[in-house]
Amino acid sequence: MNISKSEIAKETSLKPSRRSLPCLAQSYAYSKNLSQSTSLFQSTESESQAPTSVTSIPADKAEQVNTEEGRKDSVLRCSFADLSDFCLALGKDKDYTDESEHANYDRSRLIKDFVPQNNSEPKPRLPKNDMNYIASSGLLFKDGKKRIDYILVYRKSNIQYDKRNTFEKNLRAEGLMLEKEPAVANPDIMFIKIHIPWDTLCKYAERLNIRMPFRKKSYYTDQRSKSMGRVQKYFRRIKKWMSQNPMVLDKSAFPDLEESDCYTGPFSRARIHHFIINNKDTFFSNATRSRIVYHMLQHTKYENGISKVGICKLINNGSYIAAFPPHEGAYKSNQPIKTHGPQNNRHLLYERWARWGMWYKHQPLDLIRLYFGEKIGLYFAWLGWYTGMLIPAAIVGLCVFFYGILTMNASQVSQEICKATEVFMCPLCDKNCSLQRLNESCIYAKVTYLFDNGGTVFFAIFMAIWATVFLEFWKRRRSTLTYTWDLIEWEEEEETLRPQFEAKYYKMERVNPISGKPEPHQPSSDKVTRLLVSISGIFFMISLVITAVFAVVVYRLVVMEQFASFKWNFIKQHWQFATSAAAVCINFVIIMALNLAYEKIAYLLTNLEYPRTESEWENSFALKMFLFQFVNLNSSIFYIAFFLGRFVGHPGKYNKLFNRWRLEECHPSGCLIDLCLQMGVIMFLKQIWNNFMELGYPLIQNWWSRHKIKRGIQDASIPQWENDWNLQPMNIHGLMDEYLEMVLQFGFTTIFVAAFPLAPLLALLNNIIEIRLDAYKFVTQWRRPLPARATDIGIWYGILEGIGILAVITNAFVIAITSDYIPRFVYEYKYGPCASQFEYSESCLTGYVNNSLSFFDLSELGMGKSGYCRYRDYRGPPWSSKPYEFTLQYWHILAARLAFIIVFEHLVFGIKSFIAYLIPDVPKNLYDRIRREKYLVQEMMYEAELEHLQQQRRKSGHPVHHEWP
């Protein structure tokens, strides 16, 4: 139904019937060596023989397997008869016409240039079928014929022998072959190599509805493509330029990805004659074989009892210490890849993707998906898409920042602050603070202007639209990938229940409305109760975060008095900056410490809910981890943005915490500089810490493992599975940590971008490193993860949409409340010199600084000084009728702030909704192609079954009909 990138080097087509001939008109070049393909199913495969003493099975079972396979081979021999006549007919007459009343295809729409041409220089291919290389890499059993599909590891000293023995016996009963071999470096370690035979593969592939290729795909072009317009020619020129772009990967370096496009359908043993099977060893890919073995490991019992099932529980109780699929070989080679080609897919991924020298290249997503599975492939596709979309955001943010640099000295506000030598600000603390000249904050005023200038509002609107465009176009990109990777209908077919869920609720069953089969069911009352307990735990952890932020606030209030009287002159002069910097560092340490506790609590709460499927478990766990870390990471930022300096009172009547500590005020130049400092330090330190934990920690651990092996073993050849065992396992939560890091970064990039326009640039630089760092980690430092399948990025897309909505609201409040944009706007058009004059020779903000500062009588402070000091607020002077009361200008500014928030949110949300409406989730040509292929698949399945029945009638001597008998 969809295109599948198979690994089949040679393709044998079935004999066509009337309806399917137009679909096969382009596949005649691939119908070669038919006699070899026919004899393939007549031969007796080595893996169906009786295994060794380690993998012995009962004799009656072996006889039954051989009898069943012989019966299938006889059917397959019948289904591939008379194919040579069809190939000769196609070779003589390419313009074969179908006179059937059912064949009404428009042959003018078939692409003529689909048949590949022979190149003078053959391209190197991966030695995937080279059994000698596979054996030398330690990827086969001792007999040199059976490949290793999975590895189990346990310690001989472990006393859980009975559980392992029962589990392995049940695995053999299910059809798996096992072989044990001790470790070379550690005699206490025992490896169990697992091989899945052909019959077992077919049985479970049918049970899991795995889609496999069965017919060559025909391409149809739109009639409008005959007359190309100017726009199409323009895009063709761009495409031609893209082929010469140094960022594009050289396709000749990936010979193994040049695969034929095939229609796919759910595998069925009864209809095995429909599928293209050239080689039983390569028909099912390594990723598919590993997935099937893992499914069997997860659903095999190790003790009597419904809950005693699954390899995960055996690993948790210590029976086994690891279970993983092996890598395909070493990732390095002594011979250069340009002259000798890649040794295996892992080597190719390292040379063309994981090396740091490839940082500017596009990612080989098809090869990533082939080796690591669709789930990891979608992660890297999303990460690459996000990184590419950050480029315009980083450019615009950098332009806004440089605009602030170029106009900084010309800013009227900065000039007035720097020239205010006779303006004294009131003390910012009670004991050790003195009067401060306003011009002493000149540098802070200029730095604040870099982030709070005329481009701030534009950039906030731009980033809100950017977030929408990013998400909408990602949906289109995702739909293309799911179609290309044959994932359109996977979710409904292959989502299975978690063993823990089945073991818990096996007594309560109900009929599945989709499959019609009974399955375990969780009662609604039990589900609601568990959800309430989980939600209570979430709120408790969030309250713990708020408590930690409150503790940091108290710390700021306590130490600011100490820094104001510090012995070092630099800290004494810049005590506010020192207070903020120390608080940021302490807050970062608290954040990282609490993250360790959050992960364990989120894991317990998620298991308490007993999710039904693995995807539900991952979504629930991811949501909890995001809520915990988002609140933990951003709570202090929200405090600085919206609460710092808002409720301090005024001189002579300051508000105090616990009637002891005076609340902290903003710097004379505003609170925005504190917000920028908080965001910049946390974002920078967190990225460094994450990169170290992702790569530095595994590097150190793997180095120590290799050091112990070299110290204990001399001149010993370490097999591949033991090298994989010495690597670090992938995180127990899979890709959750990778997605969580990027989603939190997306929040930093969008939520407070109005206060820190350099955030997209920092995110872009980090992601360029992150892609290669993750690639290097997956290829070289981690054991090969299970090649899992997925159709999207899961719950993370909904979280990203929520962050995009929150970003609009937050940026509106930052511009209206945190920055001085609204007070400057009100002064410019209501109280400034331009309010009464349409033309004014000087700036309309002349006198703004003096207007924004209120007066206070120093004699009321009891400092023995007379005169007036100034403070940031809009209150009446001491000589007014209502001293220290809010002025009318304060209420005008408050009304303008509320109006700006409402107008900004409605405007941006309207633009976001309009853009989301204009951009369809699935491209139109892809939508039409999917519908077209559904129709063709139905036709071909009908004709293939009819042809099979006609061949059976012809063999038995019955008359042959051209329609259903």
Side-chain angles (χ1 to χ4, degrees):
M1 187 176 296
N2 307 308
I3 296 177
S4 174
K5 300 285 187 180
S6 65
E7 299 177 1
I8 303 172
K10 298 178 182 179
E11 179 173 321
T12 304
S13 303
L14 297 175
K15 180 180 178 182
S17 54
R18 287 186 171 91
R19 281 182 159 179
S20 60
L21 277 175
C23 301
L24 294 171
Q26 303 298 331
S27 62
Y28 69 94
Y30 298 94
S31 302
K32 299 178 181 179
N33 300 329
L34 297 177
S35 59
Q36 297 179 5
S37 301
T38 307
S39 62
L40 169 68
F41 302 96
Q42 300 174 2
S43 62
T44 303
E45 192 177 8
S46 60
E47 64 186 19
S48 63
Q49 300 175 356
T52 61
S53 59
V54 177
T55 60
S56 61
I57 58 176
D60 54 345
K61 287 184 177 289
E63 182 179 357
Q64 181 180 358
V65 170
N66 292 333
T67 304
E68 184 179 354
E69 184 173 357
R71 180 178 57 83
K72 293 180 181 177
D73 290 345
S74 63
V75 176
L76 292 173
R77 286 195 296 271
C78 296
S79 65
F80 280 88
D82 297 330
L83 287 173
S84 59
D85 296 337
F86 169 62
C87 293
L88 292 175
L90 284 179
K92 293 178 181 179
D93 187 7
K94 298 180 181 179
D95 298 326
Y96 178 84
T97 57
D98 188 5
E99 298 177 357
S100 173
E101 60 182 0
H102 300 288
N104 297 320
Y105 298 99
D106 183 6
R107 296 186 174 278
S108 63
R109 300 175 66 189
L110 279 169
I111 297 179
K112 302 298 182 184
D113 56 350
F114 179 77
V115 180
Q117 299 178 356
N118 294 327
N119 297 328
S120 58
E121 297 182 1
K123 298 179 180 179
R125 300 195 63 83
L126 292 176
K128 295 181 64 175
N129 298 328
D130 189 353
M131 303 303 291
N132 294 328
Y133 173 77
I134 296 177
S136 64
S137 301
L139 300 176
L140 296 177
F141 277 26
K142 292 179 180 179
D143 60 4
K145 297 179 181 179
K146 303 179 185 66
R147 70 165 64 186
I148 300 174
D149 297 310
Y150 225 85
I151 296 292
L152 300 181
V153 189
Y154 70 89
R155 297 186 184 275
K156 297 179 183 178
S157 58
N158 187 273
I159 61 175
Q160 304 282 351
Y161 174 78
D162 294 336
K163 294 180 180 179
R164 287 197 304 269
N165 189 31
T166 304
F167 184 70
E168 293 165 12
K169 181 180 178 181
N170 291 336
L171 289 178
R172 294 189 186 97
E174 288 292 328
L176 295 179
M177 294 183 178
L178 279 63
E179 184 179 75
K180 296 184 178 181
E181 185 166 335
V184 176
N186 188 349
D188 189 43
I189 298 296
M190 180 66 73
F191 295 98
I192 299 179
K193 298 175 285 186
I194 299 178
H195 168 75
I196 180 169
W198 170 256
D199 291 330
T200 308
L201 267 175
C202 294
K203 179 177 68 175
Y204 277 90
E206 180 179 7
R207 183 178 299 178
L208 298 177
N209 287 325
I210 294 178
R211 306 183 66 85
M212 302 302 294
F214 69 89
R215 189 63 58 86
K216 189 74 182 66
K217 185 184 182 300
S218 298
Y219 289 90
Y220 281 79
T221 59
D222 196 343
Q223 193 73 21
R224 294 174 297 179
S225 63
K226 294 183 178 180
S227 57
M228 284 179 43
R230 294 182 179 179
V231 177
Q232 292 171 320
K233 292 181 179 179
Y234 175 74
F235 282 111
R236 173 167 290 186
R237 292 176 184 174
I238 296 179
K239 187 177 181 180
K240 185 178 180 181
W241 173 83
M242 288 295 293
S243 62
Q244 303 173 356
N245 187 354
M247 298 175 63
V248 177
L249 289 167
D250 184 10
K251 293 183 179 180
S252 62
F254 298 91
D256 197 52
L257 298 181
E258 295 181 358
E259 300 152 349
S260 57
D261 297 335
C262 300
Y263 294 111
T264 63
F267 183 80
S268 172
R269 287 177 292 177
R271 297 183 177 181
I272 196 172
H273 51 276
H274 291 177
F275 298 92
I276 305 171
I277 306 177
N278 291 314
N279 190 338
K280 292 182 179 181
D281 291 331
T282 59
F283 178 63
F284 293 101
S285 64
N286 292 339
T288 302
R289 298 171 71 98
S290 299
R291 281 197 299 269
I292 293 176
V293 174
Y294 180 76
H295 175 82
M296 298 175 68
L297 294 175
Q298 280 287 77
H299 293 80
T300 301
K301 291 185 178 181
Y302 58 86
E303 279 185 354
N304 294 328
I306 192 66
S307 62
K308 309 297 184 179
V309 60
I311 185 63
C312 291
K313 289 191 174 182
L314 287 173
I315 293 177
N316 292 335
N317 63 30
S319 300
Y320 294 95
I321 55 178
F324 55 89
H327 278 294
E328 293 184 3
Y331 65 88
K332 284 187 177 181
S333 175
N334 296 328
Q335 299 173 341
I337 190 174
K338 292 184 179 180
T339 57
H340 293 77
Q343 297 291 330
N344 50 67
N345 281 332
R346 189 188 184 194
H347 181 212
L348 183 59
L349 281 172
Y350 175 77
E351 293 290 340
R352 304 300 183 189
W353 178 50
R355 289 193 303 111
W356 296 104
M358 308 298 292
W359 66 270
Y360 62 94
K361 290 286 188 179
H362 292 172
Q363 300 184 89
L365 295 178
D366 290 332
L367 185 59
I368 297 171
R369 170 246 181 178
L370 180 67
Y371 192 81
F372 293 109
E374 288 80 2
K375 192 171 186 178
I376 295 177
L378 274 175
Y379 163 72
F380 281 103
W382 175 83
L383 181 57
W385 185 261
Y386 171 46
T387 304
M389 290 293 292
L390 279 173
I391 295 177
I395 293 175
V396 176
L398 199 60
C399 292
V400 172
F401 183 75
F402 277 117
Y403 169 79
I405 294 178
L406 296 176
T407 60
M408 179 173 57
N409 294 326
S411 171
Q412 180 65 30
V413 177
S414 299
Q415 290 180 3
E416 291 185 0
I417 292 178
C418 295
K419 295 178 181 179
T421 58
E422 301 299 327
V423 178
F424 292 90
M425 301 299 295
C426 296
L428 297 179
C429 59
D430 291 335
K431 298 180 181 179
N432 301 315
C433 297
S434 59
L435 297 178
Q436 180 183 0
R437 295 182 186 271
L438 181 58
N439 66 332
E440 293 180 5
S441 60
C442 177
I443 297 178
Y444 293 98
K446 291 183 178 180
V447 174
T448 302
Y449 180 78
L450 296 178
F451 306 101
D452 185 12
N453 52 61
T456 302
V457 178
F458 162 76
F459 188 56
I461 297 175
F462 171 82
M463 287 303 297
I465 298 174
W466 172 87
T468 301
V469 173
F470 160 64
L471 293 177
E472 292 299 323
F473 275 98
W474 163 247
K475 287 193 289 186
R476 294 170 61 88
R477 175 63 172 161
R478 185 202 66 84
S479 63
T480 303
L481 287 175
T482 53
Y483 168 78
T484 306
W485 293 349
D486 196 21
L487 298 170
I488 295 296
E489 297 181 357
W490 168 80
E491 187 173 1
E492 292 83 2
E493 296 172 351
E494 297 191 22
E495 189 73 9
T496 58
L497 299 178
R498 297 180 70 237
Q500 295 84 348
F501 181 86
E502 292 181 305
K504 178 68 175 179
Y505 299 104
Y506 71 97
K507 295 182 179 180
M508 294 165 281
E509 291 186 347
R510 74 171 183 180
V511 178
N512 189 309
I514 299 177
S515 64
K517 299 178 181 179
E519 66 177 18
H521 169 66
Q522 184 180 17
S524 300
S525 58
D526 181 75
K527 186 174 183 179
V528 171
T529 303
R530 294 180 180 275
L531 284 177
L532 290 176
V533 174
S534 180
I535 293 174
S536 301
I538 293 174
F539 278 106
F540 172 76
M541 295 305 299
I542 292 177
S543 63
L544 184 61
V545 174
I546 297 175
T547 304
V549 173
F550 180 77
V552 175
V553 171
V554 174
Y555 165 81
R556 294 172 66 109
L557 300 180
V558 172
V559 301
M560 68 177 183
E561 293 279 357
Q562 306 301 324
F563 283 138
S565 60
F566 210 75
K567 295 181 179 180
W568 293 354
N569 190 35
F570 176 80
I571 295 181
K572 186 176 182 179
Q573 291 180 353
H574 306 279
W575 61 271
Q576 281 187 302
F577 176 80
T579 301
S580 300
V584 169
C585 295
I586 293 176
N587 187 46
F588 177 76
V589 173
I590 294 175
I591 288 173
M592 303 311 297
L594 289 178
N595 283 343
L596 299 177
Y598 293 158
E599 183 174 349
K600 296 181 180 180
I601 294 176
Y603 188 80
L604 292 175
L605 292 177
T606 305
N607 287 335
L608 180 65
E609 296 174 6
Y610 280 98
R612 180 175 174 272
T613 61
E614 286 295 334
S615 61
E616 291 181 5
W617 189 96
E618 292 178 0
N619 291 340
S620 178
F621 181 75
L623 180 61
K624 293 180 180 62
M625 286 298 298
F626 170 75
L627 289 176
F628 291 160
Q629 294 207 18
F630 180 81
V631 176
N632 188 25
L633 199 63
N634 293 279
S635 54
S636 60
I637 299 177
F638 272 89
Y639 163 74
I640 294 176
F642 305 124
F643 297 98
L644 179 63
R646 307 297 168 190
F647 311 101
V648 296
H650 60 84
K653 193 179 180 181
Y654 285 113
N655 297 323
K656 294 187 177 182
L657 183 63
F658 304 133
N659 294 323
R660 181 176 180 182
W661 294 298
R662 173 179 160 184
L663 296 181
E664 187 179 3
E665 293 187 59
C666 292
H667 196 271
S669 59
C671 294
L672 201 62
I673 187 65
D674 294 324
L675 181 59
C676 296
L677 178 64
Q678 184 84 7
M679 289 187 60
V681 171
I682 290 181
M683 189 174 185
F684 180 74
L685 292 179
K686 193 172 188 304
Q687 289 178 350
I688 292 179
W689 175 260
N690 288 337
N691 292 338
F692 170 76
M693 293 301 296
E694 288 183 7
L695 183 61
Y697 185 67
L699 276 174
I700 295 174
Q701 288 185 314
N702 291 335
W703 171 83
W704 179 246
S705 299
R706 291 192 300 268
H707 177 71
K708 290 191 297 184
I709 292 175
K710 292 180 180 179
R711 185 177 57 184
I713 301 297
Q714 298 293 336
D715 299 330
S717 177
I718 306 297
Q720 179 62 46
W721 63 81
E722 191 164 348
N723 287 328
D724 293 347
W725 157 248
N726 292 324
L727 298 177
Q728 296 303 307
M730 186 179 177
N731 295 333
I732 188 174
H733 309 307
L735 293 171
M736 194 279 302
D737 291 337
E738 315 297 332
Y739 275 117
L740 181 61
E741 178 186 355
M742 290 295 103
V743 170
L744 292 175
Q745 183 202 86
F746 180 79
F748 261 98
T749 306
T750 55
I751 292 179
F752 291 99
V753 73
F756 193 56
L758 293 180
L761 178 62
L762 293 180
L764 174 62
L765 297 177
N766 175 79
N767 287 6
I768 293 175
I769 300 174
E770 181 74 19
I771 291 177
R772 304 305 160 180
L773 187 148
D774 285 347
Y776 184 82
K777 178 178 59 180
F778 272 93
V779 174
T780 68
Q781 301 302 311
W782 278 1
R783 299 171 193 163
R784 187 177 184 179
L786 178 70
R789 308 197 82 186
T791 57
D792 52 29
I793 61 176
I795 198 174
W796 299 108
Y797 182 83
I799 293 175
L800 290 172
E801 284 190 325
I803 291 176
I805 296 174
L806 180 62
V808 176
I809 301 173
T810 305
N811 284 304
F813 276 86
V814 168
I815 296 173
I817 296 177
T818 309
S819 72
D820 289 336
Y821 176 79
I822 298 300
R824 291 197 302 264
F825 182 83
V826 173
Y827 177 81
E828 185 175 357
Y829 292 99
K830 179 65 176 177
Y831 298 95
C834 296
S836 57
Q837 302 180 17
F838 293 100
E839 295 183 2
Y840 189 70
S841 58
E842 298 182 7
S843 174
C844 293
L845 290 176
T846 302
Y848 167 75
V849 174
N850 183 66
N851 177 265
S852 63
L853 299 177
S854 299
F855 289 88
F856 183 77
D857 190 356
L858 286 173
S859 60
E860 299 182 19
L861 290 178
M863 299 175 59
K865 296 182 180 181
S866 60
Y868 299 99
C869 65
R870 311 293 294 273
Y871 62 96
R872 286 174 55 89
D873 210 341
Y874 294 92
R875 294 179 181 270
W879 57 83
S880 64
S881 58
K882 295 181 180 180
Y884 309 127
E885 295 290 334
F886 288 120
T887 62
L888 183 61
Q889 185 176 356
Y890 169 83
W891 300 109
H892 286 167
I893 292 174
L894 179 61
R897 283 172 169 167
L898 296 177
F900 175 84
I901 292 173
I902 296 173
V903 172
F904 182 89
E905 290 179 355
H906 283 72
L907 175 64
V908 176
F909 280 134
I911 296 175
K912 285 168 64 72
S913 302
F914 181 69
I915 292 176
Y917 173 77
L918 290 180
I919 303 175
D921 295 345
V922 181
K924 180 64 167 58
N925 59 344
L926 178 60
Y927 178 75
D928 294 338
R929 194 185 309 170
I930 293 174
R931 295 182 61 191
R932 172 67 177 170
E933 290 186 5
K934 286 183 179 179
Y935 168 76
L936 290 178
V937 165
Q938 293 176 355
E939 293 289 305
M940 286 186 291
M941 293 294 288
Y942 165 82
E943 291 296 338
E945 191 66 25
L946 177 61
E947 180 65 24
H948 178 58
L949 294 176
Q950 289 176 349
Q951 289 176 355
Q952 289 183 336
R953 281 179 170 271
R954 188 182 295 110
K955 183 178 179 181
S956 60
H958 292 84
V960 178
H961 302 282
H962 293 290
E963 293 296 335
W964 287 97

